[in-house]
Amino acid sequence: DSGVTQTPKHLITATGQRVTLRCSPRSGDLSVYWYQQSLDQGLQFLIQYYNGEERAKGNILERFSAQQFPDLHSELNLSSLELGDSALYFCASSVEGLETQYFGPGTRLLVL
Amino acid sequence: QKEVEQDPGPLSVPEGAIVSLNCTYSNSAFQYFMWYRQYSRKGPELLMYTYSSGNKEDGRFTAQVDKSSKYISLFIRDSQPSDSATYLCAMSADRGSTLGRLYFGRGTQLTVWP
């Protein structure tokens, strides 16, 4: 158990819908990262937050957004969902940003 | 060209074999190198972490980094069926806008049979 929690574990929804994925980092970690893992693209970095502020953006679509709250948990919002958004979404956390990242169990999203 | 290249395998070895997993990369700014193990439908689990060049050993696992060749390796000695998983290499830079972001290889699927 990495100490990073993610909810829900599974999500099934329809095209055009909006969903919110939630992540709680390890105790003491200030950085939260979101990654998408699909069969054809592998693990892709989406976005990083550090102590409530956006720090880095990767291959995140404009339909996706994220935020980190004062209690350091983070939410990833996915809207106008398409079939191609079906993937595993992982959250990871670290203390400052240079240290190793610890991954949560992931949320499996299926868009029908 | 992807920034991190990793042979996806699959790799199948008998129990007790020495396994060698490798990644190459193109970005000379990468300074932090990691290996993660991912069991099916689970989150990646950190196995090894090294900074810059050199070797690091932890039990049956040895990680090597050769920055001059932009090549990293993970060796697993006395492999066990419980080592059957996908192994992902990952790396990050220590400067610039990519600070802290991990770049992953596609993963190598390993099966160790009894």
Side-chain angles (χ1 to χ4, degrees):
Chain A
D1 185 355
S2 67
V4 179
T5 61
Q6 288 186 250
T7 57
K9 287 185 180 177
H10 304 277
L11 206 47
I12 302 175
T13 188
T15 55
Q17 295 298 304
R18 173 189 169 95
V19 297
T20 297
L21 312 183
R22 183 188 169 101
C23 167
S24 292
R26 295 185 321 157
S27 176
D29 284 358
L30 300 178
S31 271
V32 169
Y33 310 77
W34 286 97
Y35 292 85
Q36 179 192 58
Q37 187 175 39
S38 59
L39 282 175
D40 57 339
Q41 292 291 322
L43 259 171
Q44 298 282 314
F45 170 76
L46 294 178
I47 197 165
Q48 177 198 359
Y49 277 82
Y50 174 75
N51 204 20
E53 307 250 335
E54 182 186 302
R55 177 172 269 191
K57 253 184 178 177
N59 304 320
I60 188 166
L61 300 171
E62 283 192 14
R63 301 183 285 109
F64 296 0
S65 65
Q67 57 184 125
Q68 187 178 27
F69 295 86
D71 66 353
L72 300 178
H73 91 271
S74 178
E75 292 180 357
L76 178 67
N77 300 296
L78 315 177
S79 61
S80 302
L81 285 167
E82 302 176 359
L83 296 177
D85 297 328
S86 296
L88 267 168
Y89 290 85
F90 289 106
C91 166
S93 73
S94 69
V95 175
E96 287 279 348
L98 282 181
E99 297 80 7
T100 53
Q101 296 177 23
Y102 294 88
F103 282 74
T107 293
R108 183 172 294 274
L109 173 66
L110 181 59
V111 182
L112 300 175
Chain B
Q1 180 192 11
K2 282 180 69 72
E3 291 196 79
V4 181
E5 300 280 358
Q6 182 177 10
D7 186 343
L11 190 58
S12 182
V13 301
E15 183 175 355
I18 296 175
V19 175
S20 172
L21 305 167
N22 311 292
C23 288
T24 60
Y25 63 95
S26 57
N27 189 343
S28 57
F30 289 150
Q31 296 279 5
Y32 299 86
F33 304 92
M34 288 136 273
W35 286 93
Y36 285 84
R37 177 174 62 195
Q38 186 176 24
Y39 292 111
S40 181
R41 298 173 177 261
K42 302 289 186 185
E45 170 196 6
L46 181 66
L47 272 181
M48 300 288 284
Y49 168 78
T50 53
Y51 172 71
S52 196
S53 283
N55 295 356
K56 184 173 184 178
E57 189 173 318
D58 184 1
R60 297 185 295 111
F61 298 90
T62 299
Q64 288 185 351
V65 175
D66 181 351
K67 289 187 66 182
S68 62
S69 303
K70 295 190 175 70
Y71 187 88
I72 71 170
S73 301
L74 177 71
F75 297 95
I76 307 174
R77 290 183 300 280
D78 187 26
S79 56
Q80 303 295 308
S82 58
D83 294 329
S84 298
T86 296
Y87 290 79
L88 300 151
C89 63
M91 43 201 83
S92 67
D94 66 349
R95 60 177 181 271
S97 62
T98 61
L99 183 69
R101 165 184 176 173
L102 289 182
Y103 293 81
F104 280 87
R106 291 295 302 274
T108 300
Q109 187 180 344
L110 171 68
T111 300
V112 181
W113 42 274

